[in-house]
Amino acid sequence: DAGITQSPRHKVTETGTPVTLRCHQTENHRYMYWYRQDPGHGLRLIHYSYGVKDTDKGEVSDGYSVSRSKTEDFLLTLESATSSQTSVYFCATWRGGSYEQYFGPGTRLTVT
Amino acid sequence: KQEVTQIPAALSVPEGENLVLNCSFTDSAIYNLQWFRQDPGKGLTSLLLIQSSQREQTSGRLNASLDKSSGRSTLYIAASQPGDSATYLCAVLQGGSEKLVFGKGTKLTVNP
């Protein structure tokens, strides 16, 4: 495992409020990813980072922004939460060389 | 565009049976293929990683094979146990890409 933690693990918020999810890793992996997992859709990539301050969009990036100011932290922000963003959010990192991906425990977000 | 398919979506077997989970992909120009396990309410755990130059990888009772030319991978589980019950996902990394493409998974239930 890559020593990945996510916070909070559970969150309930109201429509229209901003929300920030945090991913922290201890293995100094260069790449970090944010996914969402929904029934019927599987895992979908939101954003990813290939280094400090270097980020790129995934397939479902609308309504989300990310920041990475330190190697170990990758933040996902929902600028104005909507009910369609109710989901389980996973952070992942990539180890160099073999490019094996490791996942965090997930954050369950409910937008009411 | 790479697409990854896992059939069946669900599988139920009696304890002790040997079983095979299937993963197919549409573009054979992959860099590697990774098998994951996901328990309910948990993150993904990496099981096996097969590089494009390899034909198979083994870990304990698990054996994963890769046939790039036919766009297929199989995960063989020997002597299944109730503790093997989980959802199994495969994911491929396209050559030159930084993003995994995931299948939607096979939910395995091993009955005592």
Side-chain angles (χ1 to χ4, degrees), chain A residues 31 33 37 40 48 100-101, chain B residues 32 34 38 43 46 98 104:
Chain A
Y31 287 83
Y33 298 78
Q37 187 176 39
Y48 72 103
E100 187 169 5
Q101 193 152 121
Chain B
N32 65 33
Q34 196 168 356
Q38 186 176 28
S46 179
E98 299 168 317
K104 293 186 178 178

Side-chain angles (χ1 to χ4, degrees), chain B residues 28-63:
Chain B
S28 62
I30 66 170
Y31 184 80
N32 65 33
L33 184 146
Q34 196 168 356
W35 281 95
F36 295 89
R37 168 184 173 139
Q38 186 176 28
D39 294 291
K42 305 291 186 182
L44 280 69
T45 300
S46 179
L47 295 174
L48 290 164
L49 174 72
I50 311 177
Q51 302 295 346
S52 62
S53 59
Q54 298 175 318
R55 293 301 300 265
E56 65 178 55
Q57 281 284 357
T58 298
S59 176
R61 293 183 294 108
L62 305 180
N63 176 277

Side-chain angles (χ1 to χ4, degrees), chain A residues 35-53:
Chain A
Y35 295 91
R36 60 178 289 173
Q37 187 176 39
D38 305 286
H41 291 279
L43 275 163
R44 293 181 290 177
L45 180 65
I46 305 171
H47 282 280
Y48 72 103
S49 168
Y50 48 96
V52 173
K53 298 186 179 178

